[in-house]
Amino acid sequence: MTVRVTLIDGGSVVEIKASGQATRREAGWATERARELSGNSEVTAILADCLGAERQKSPQLSAEMIENFLFALERPLPSAYIVPQVWDESYAQAVRDELIELPPHARFFTDRETALDWLASFQAA
């Protein structure tokens, strides 16, 4: 898997861009890096673009990786998660069913434009 964690939108959004098969180690590194960057007060949102990522072996593992990321952040930032394009609706629903509690500041999206628009709505408020 390739994971890149950078600042976009003038430094106000932490972007995690993932492709291929994710390992727990890579997801952990991305989580730590995003947590470090989100400590900057200029950061107002998180975009996890996983459109090019592969499915995990189970919806439980996908949900665990998502939850670990969301709850590792030190402050509740709006977080948009773009689901992998290989997730069919039944797999996506199974992942959502496994999530114990999705924070109100986090949402799933199927495309980048809609996710960015949703994040921008927080910046405008």
Side-chain angles (χ1 to χ4, degrees):
M1 173 177 193
T2 301
V3 180
R4 188 183 78 230
V5 181
T6 57
L7 292 171
I8 61 170
D9 207 19
S12 66
V13 177
V14 174
E15 178 186 44
I16 301 165
K17 188 140 178 118
S19 61
Q21 184 65 45
T23 65
R24 287 176 190 224
R25 182 176 172 179
E26 290 164 325
W29 172 84
T31 296
E32 265 312 301
R33 184 69 181 128
R35 190 167 99 153
E36 288 171 13
L37 291 173
S38 67
N40 182 336
S41 62
E42 293 176 10
V43 171
T44 59
I46 307 278
L47 174 67
D49 185 346
C50 298
L51 195 64
E54 297 296 322
R55 267 170 59 153
Q56 294 299 321
K57 293 183 181 196
S58 71
Q60 294 86 0
L61 181 55
S62 293
E64 178 186 320
M65 293 171 112
I66 293 166
E67 280 182 336
N68 287 346
F69 170 74
L70 289 171
F71 291 109
L73 298 174
E74 293 183 5
R75 57 191 175 113
L77 293 171
S79 300
Y81 182 86
I82 304 171
V83 300
Q85 63 186 355
V86 296
W87 284 16
D88 58 27
E89 186 51 42
S90 65
Y91 187 87
Q93 186 58 53
V95 171
R96 286 190 292 271
D97 290 345
E98 287 295 325
L99 291 169
I100 295 169
E101 183 180 346
L102 189 63
H105 61 274
R107 288 184 76 190
F108 289 108
F109 296 90
T110 56
D111 68 275
R112 186 178 179 88
E113 184 177 337
T114 306
L116 288 171
D117 287 347
W118 182 75
L119 291 175
S121 73
F122 285 93
Q123 293 172 326

PDB file of all heavy atoms in Angstrom, residues 64-77:
ATOM      1  N   GLU A  64     -12.336  -1.328  12.332  1.00  0.00           N
ATOM      2  CA  GLU A  64     -11.344  -1.134  13.387  1.00  0.00           C
ATOM      3  C   GLU A  64     -10.319  -0.071  12.987  1.00  0.00           C
ATOM      4  O   GLU A  64      -9.967   0.798  13.787  1.00  0.00           O
ATOM      5  CB  GLU A  64     -10.632  -2.458  13.667  1.00  0.00           C
ATOM      6  CG  GLU A  64      -9.541  -2.372  14.703  1.00  0.00           C
ATOM      7  CD  GLU A  64      -8.778  -3.681  14.836  1.00  0.00           C
ATOM      8  OE1 GLU A  64      -9.407  -4.759  14.797  1.00  0.00           O
ATOM      9  OE2 GLU A  64      -7.545  -3.611  14.971  1.00  0.00           O
ATOM     10  N   MET A  65      -9.852  -0.124  11.745  1.00  0.00           N
ATOM     11  CA  MET A  65      -8.868   0.849  11.280  1.00  0.00           C
ATOM     12  C   MET A  65      -9.459   2.257  11.252  1.00  0.00           C
ATOM     13  O   MET A  65      -8.795   3.230  11.629  1.00  0.00           O
ATOM     14  CB  MET A  65      -8.326   0.449   9.909  1.00  0.00           C
ATOM     15  CG  MET A  65      -7.510  -0.821   9.958  1.00  0.00           C
ATOM     16  SD  MET A  65      -7.094  -1.422   8.317  1.00  0.00           S
ATOM     17  CE  MET A  65      -5.345  -1.145   8.313  1.00  0.00           C
ATOM     18  N   ILE A  66     -10.695   2.378  10.839  1.00  0.00           N
ATOM     19  CA  ILE A  66     -11.360   3.682  10.794  1.00  0.00           C
ATOM     20  C   ILE A  66     -11.550   4.230  12.208  1.00  0.00           C
ATOM     21  O   ILE A  66     -11.233   5.384  12.490  1.00  0.00           O
ATOM     22  CB  ILE A  66     -12.703   3.579  10.038  1.00  0.00           C
ATOM     23  CG1 ILE A  66     -12.452   3.276   8.560  1.00  0.00           C
ATOM     24  CG2 ILE A  66     -13.523   4.865  10.205  1.00  0.00           C
ATOM     25  CD1 ILE A  66     -13.682   2.823   7.797  1.00  0.00           C
ATOM     26  N   GLU A  67     -12.068   3.398  13.099  1.00  0.00           N
ATOM     27  CA  GLU A  67     -12.273   3.836  14.484  1.00  0.00           C
ATOM     28  C   GLU A  67     -10.961   4.217  15.157  1.00  0.00           C
ATOM     29  O   GLU A  67     -10.888   5.229  15.859  1.00  0.00           O
ATOM     30  CB  GLU A  67     -12.948   2.737  15.300  1.00  0.00           C
ATOM     31  CG  GLU A  67     -14.427   2.664  15.090  1.00  0.00           C
ATOM     32  CD  GLU A  67     -15.085   1.600  15.945  1.00  0.00           C
ATOM     33  OE1 GLU A  67     -14.408   0.622  16.356  1.00  0.00           O
ATOM     34  OE2 GLU A  67     -16.285   1.745  16.205  1.00  0.00           O
ATOM     35  N   ASN A  68      -9.934   3.406  14.973  1.00  0.00           N
ATOM     36  CA  ASN A  68      -8.640   3.712  15.579  1.00  0.00           C
ATOM     37  C   ASN A  68      -8.151   5.081  15.145  1.00  0.00           C
ATOM     38  O   ASN A  68      -7.601   5.836  15.938  1.00  0.00           O
ATOM     39  CB  ASN A  68      -7.600   2.649  15.229  1.00  0.00           C
ATOM     40  CG  ASN A  68      -7.825   1.356  15.967  1.00  0.00           C
ATOM     41  OD1 ASN A  68      -8.582   1.289  16.929  1.00  0.00           O
ATOM     42  ND2 ASN A  68      -7.173   0.305  15.513  1.00  0.00           N
ATOM     43  N   PHE A  69      -8.352   5.395  13.880  1.00  0.00           N
ATOM     44  CA  PHE A  69      -7.939   6.700  13.379  1.00  0.00           C
ATOM     45  C   PHE A  69      -8.760   7.820  14.018  1.00  0.00           C
ATOM     46  O   PHE A  69      -8.222   8.770  14.562  1.00  0.00           O
ATOM     47  CB  PHE A  69      -8.054   6.756  11.854  1.00  0.00           C
ATOM     48  CG  PHE A  69      -7.874   8.144  11.343  1.00  0.00           C
ATOM     49  CD1 PHE A  69      -6.627   8.724  11.321  1.00  0.00           C
ATOM     50  CD2 PHE A  69      -8.958   8.893  10.934  1.00  0.00           C
ATOM     51  CE1 PHE A  69      -6.451  10.036  10.891  1.00  0.00           C
ATOM     52  CE2 PHE A  69      -8.802  10.196  10.504  1.00  0.00           C
ATOM     53  CZ  PHE A  69      -7.539  10.761  10.477  1.00  0.00           C
ATOM     54  N   LEU A  70     -10.068   7.714  13.945  1.00  0.00           N
ATOM     55  CA  LEU A  70     -10.938   8.790  14.432  1.00  0.00           C
ATOM     56  C   LEU A  70     -10.739   9.078  15.916  1.00  0.00           C
ATOM     57  O   LEU A  70     -10.735  10.232  16.336  1.00  0.00           O
ATOM     58  CB  LEU A  70     -12.402   8.462  14.150  1.00  0.00           C
ATOM     59  CG  LEU A  70     -12.811   8.524  12.687  1.00  0.00           C
ATOM     60  CD1 LEU A  70     -14.217   7.976  12.502  1.00  0.00           C
ATOM     61  CD2 LEU A  70     -12.717   9.949  12.154  1.00  0.00           C
ATOM     62  N   PHE A  71     -10.553   8.038  16.701  1.00  0.00           N
ATOM     63  CA  PHE A  71     -10.429   8.243  18.139  1.00  0.00           C
ATOM     64  C   PHE A  71      -9.003   8.553  18.575  1.00  0.00           C
ATOM     65  O   PHE A  71      -8.767   8.883  19.729  1.00  0.00           O
ATOM     66  CB  PHE A  71     -11.025   7.059  18.894  1.00  0.00           C
ATOM     67  CG  PHE A  71     -12.520   7.000  18.737  1.00  0.00           C
ATOM     68  CD1 PHE A  71     -13.117   6.010  17.973  1.00  0.00           C
ATOM     69  CD2 PHE A  71     -13.333   7.966  19.313  1.00  0.00           C
ATOM     70  CE1 PHE A  71     -14.492   5.975  17.804  1.00  0.00           C
ATOM     71  CE2 PHE A  71     -14.703   7.946  19.147  1.00  0.00           C
ATOM     72  CZ  PHE A  71     -15.290   6.941  18.393  1.00  0.00           C
ATOM     73  N   ALA A  72      -8.053   8.503  17.656  1.00  0.00           N
ATOM     74  CA  ALA A  72      -6.671   8.871  17.976  1.00  0.00           C
ATOM     75  C   ALA A  72      -6.454  10.376  17.904  1.00  0.00           C
ATOM     76  O   ALA A  72      -5.500  10.894  18.474  1.00  0.00           O
ATOM     77  CB  ALA A  72      -5.700   8.165  17.026  1.00  0.00           C
ATOM     78  N   LEU A  73      -7.332  11.068  17.207  1.00  0.00           N
ATOM     79  CA  LEU A  73      -7.184  12.517  17.081  1.00  0.00           C
ATOM     80  C   LEU A  73      -7.395  13.178  18.432  1.00  0.00           C
ATOM     81  O   LEU A  73      -8.257  12.774  19.204  1.00  0.00           O
ATOM     82  CB  LEU A  73      -8.181  13.070  16.062  1.00  0.00           C
ATOM     83  CG  LEU A  73      -8.017  12.556  14.636  1.00  0.00           C
ATOM     84  CD1 LEU A  73      -9.148  13.075  13.757  1.00  0.00           C
ATOM     85  CD2 LEU A  73      -6.671  12.942  14.067  1.00  0.00           C
ATOM     86  N   GLU A  74      -6.608  14.187  18.710  1.00  0.00           N
ATOM     87  CA  GLU A  74      -6.680  14.845  20.012  1.00  0.00           C
ATOM     88  C   GLU A  74      -7.816  15.853  20.112  1.00  0.00           C
ATOM     89  O   GLU A  74      -8.172  16.279  21.198  1.00  0.00           O
ATOM     90  CB  GLU A  74      -5.343  15.495  20.337  1.00  0.00           C
ATOM     91  CG  GLU A  74      -4.273  14.449  20.543  1.00  0.00           C
ATOM     92  CD  GLU A  74      -2.933  15.028  20.933  1.00  0.00           C
ATOM     93  OE1 GLU A  74      -2.824  16.253  21.147  1.00  0.00           O
ATOM     94  OE2 GLU A  74      -1.985  14.237  21.010  1.00  0.00           O
ATOM     95  N   ARG A  75      -8.364  16.247  18.970  1.00  0.00           N
ATOM     96  CA  ARG A  75      -9.510  17.151  18.989  1.00  0.00           C
ATOM     97  C   ARG A  75     -10.469  16.732  17.883  1.00  0.00           C
ATOM     98  O   ARG A  75     -10.054  16.177  16.866  1.00  0.00           O
ATOM     99  CB  ARG A  75      -9.085  18.614  18.861  1.00  0.00           C
ATOM    100  CG  ARG A  75      -8.281  18.928  17.633  1.00  0.00           C
ATOM    101  CD  ARG A  75      -7.681  20.340  17.721  1.00  0.00           C
ATOM    102  NE  ARG A  75      -6.825  20.584  16.589  1.00  0.00           N
ATOM    103  CZ  ARG A  75      -7.082  21.467  15.642  1.00  0.00           C
ATOM    104  NH1 ARG A  75      -8.173  22.200  15.685  1.00  0.00           N
ATOM    105  NH2 ARG A  75      -6.236  21.631  14.646  1.00  0.00           N
ATOM    106  N   PRO A  76     -11.750  16.965  18.076  1.00  0.00           N
ATOM    107  CA  PRO A  76     -12.754  16.495  17.119  1.00  0.00           C
ATOM    108  C   PRO A  76     -12.828  17.365  15.862  1.00  0.00           C
ATOM    109  O   PRO A  76     -13.564  18.339  15.817  1.00  0.00           O
ATOM    110  CB  PRO A  76     -14.059  16.548  17.909  1.00  0.00           C
ATOM    111  CG  PRO A  76     -13.835  17.644  18.909  1.00  0.00           C
ATOM    112  CD  PRO A  76     -12.367  17.600  19.241  1.00  0.00           C
ATOM    113  N   LEU A  77     -12.050  17.008  14.861  1.00  0.00           N
ATOM    114  CA  LEU A  77     -12.065  17.740  13.594  1.00  0.00           C
ATOM    115  C   LEU A  77     -13.040  17.085  12.627  1.00  0.00           C
ATOM    116  O   LEU A  77     -13.173  15.857  12.608  1.00  0.00           O
ATOM    117  CB  LEU A  77     -10.671  17.718  12.969  1.00  0.00           C
ATOM    118  CG  LEU A  77      -9.587  18.479  13.717  1.00  0.00           C
ATOM    119  CD1 LEU A  77      -8.224  18.179  13.102  1.00  0.00           C
ATOM    120  CD2 LEU A  77      -9.871  19.971  13.669  1.00  0.00           C
TER     121      LEU A  77
END
